[in-house]
Amino acid sequence: RLSIRSVSDGGDPHTISARYTLRMLSLASFSLGLNLGATPTRAGDVRMAVDVRAPFKTTESDRLMDEAREIMPGGVSSPVRAFKSVGGDPVVFDRVKGAYAWDVDGNKYVDYVGTWGPAIVGHADDRVLDAVKATMDKGTSFGAPCALENELAKMVIDAVPSVEMVRFTNSGTEACMGVLRLMRAYTKREKVIKFDGCYHGHADSFLVAAGSGVATLGLPDSPGVTQGASASTLVATYNDIESVKALFEANKGEVAGVILEGVVGNSGFIVPDQAFLTELRQVCDDNGAVLVFDEVMTGFRISYGGAQQHWGITPDLSTFGKVIGGGLPVGAYAGKKEIMEMVAPAGPMYQAGTLSGNPLAMTAGIETMKILKQPGTYEQLDRMTDKLINGILDAGKAAGHAVCGGHISGMFGFFFTDGPVKCFADAAKSDTAKFAKWHRGMLERGVYLAPSQYEAGFMSLSHSEADIEHTIAMAKEVFAEL
């Protein structure tokens, strides 16, 4: 630790020298990983402490990624993690706790990815871990019914007014695969309407105009998806009810239902218009079609009852994931009893899973939801996220950049474009090259954000005011350098 003390007053040349010295030290701090704090001690007296930290380095991450690319496609287990759209190699995580992540080189980050949404109470929360450890002593998987499934299912039913029955799966993708089959089984129709830029997992029928990782990699559709699978998927424009009506008109009596994200998180962060959702519900009713809210990302994230509670819309079916697993692999599809009873073994529509409803995931979900149900939870998430996103937007605009964005509770996002962004076509106008530079600058300053312009960010209950202020300060520094 190095302390520098300078006394100066009036127009004394030492004033200029002192200010210059402090500025040079400040600049050096960002390039060398120093942390400066200035404290006035008396009139004209400046004392500056310099905390020397190791510079940002990725030697071990780079080595591990070189090895990973030889043994796994692209070196990752999920495409967006590869940093393709932001350049450079990804950092390899070693551990996480609360609002923070540490990589294998010892770099510490304020994390706004939160394992892509599940870590809403913070990483490795002691209450959740203690419960999981206690459950683990009884076994990791039963392959048989367990009481924990009942408990978590009842919590979901109590939280979400539209839900009367629940089927657990192991991921959001699996939940969306199940709900797609259920839509068709219930209506005896094949065609499904989705929206440009909405991602519902990697099932063949959904990898059409899917946003998220598909957009990040520049793949409009995925090779290997058959014409038969994609032909039954109709694509409308988000926030454009006329595009939905046109598809129903052109496919009279053939549309099983409509599926959408209640807030788009896979094209960045795009908020639906209330009138759009209200009319969409009516259009589905008028055409005998099922309305499905994909709440894998928004469920228990933007409110305890999800996007549907936030908007006051009642879908027929919903999918969940992420938060209800508390950081362990989980998914669920749920809805009206008369529809859900089509699912085997109650009905003829088959879907199964070896690890579905396993006790560890159920326990983590139960404990997480207990925390989320406590008074003030969502008010805290909203307050902290509001401060963060507005601080970032203000910093960007002050530096002369075209930026827009917003948040709902603990979910946020912004774009390098003037906006407004109402659909994926609007999001695609963003300056992704500038975002890539911004992302790298923030990473090097200890702020971990989603490595894609087309992904939302997430706040947790563990983030502090100091974390937010640090993030905004770093954002100002990076914006000034772009």
Side-chain angles (χ1 to χ4, degrees), residues 397 400-405 415-421 426 429-431:
K397 291 172 183 175
H401 299 290
V403 292
C404 68
F415 302 91
F416 275 99
T417 184
D418 285 319
V421 174
D426 294 337
K429 298 173 185 175
S430 299
D431 188 336

Side-chain angles (χ1 to χ4, degrees), residues 225-358:
V225 175
T226 65
Q227 287 186 340
S230 60
S232 60
T233 303
L234 310 174
V235 181
T237 300
Y238 202 79
N239 273 322
D240 182 355
I241 195 64
E242 294 305 319
S243 70
V244 179
K245 291 179 179 179
L247 289 174
F248 270 111
E249 183 63 28
N251 299 273
K252 281 185 178 292
E254 298 180 82
V255 177
V258 178
I259 185 169
L260 81 162
E261 294 180 82
V263 173
V264 180
N266 287 282
S267 295
F269 177 82
I270 304 176
V271 177
D273 295 330
Q274 180 71 56
F276 167 70
L277 294 178
T278 300
E279 197 162 357
L280 183 62
R281 173 70 275 181
Q282 188 60 54
V283 169
C284 286
D285 289 342
D286 293 344
N287 288 274
V290 174
L291 177 61
V292 180
F293 266 36
D294 180 347
E295 298 243 35
V296 169
M297 192 173 287
T298 56
F300 311 101
R301 162 61 65 177
I302 68 171
S303 79
Y304 192 65
Q308 54 197 272
Q309 182 186 65
H310 179 83
W311 299 117
I313 302 294
T314 304
D316 301 296
L317 295 167
S318 305
T319 58
F320 300 99
K322 298 186 185 293
V323 169
I324 63 164
L328 273 68
V330 77
Y333 57 104
K336 294 179 178 178
K337 188 173 184 178
E338 66 172 290
I339 304 177
M340 291 298 297
E341 286 186 330
M342 289 287 297
V343 180
M349 192 220 85
Y350 193 76
Q351 179 268 319
T354 299
L355 296 173
S356 296
N358 76 80

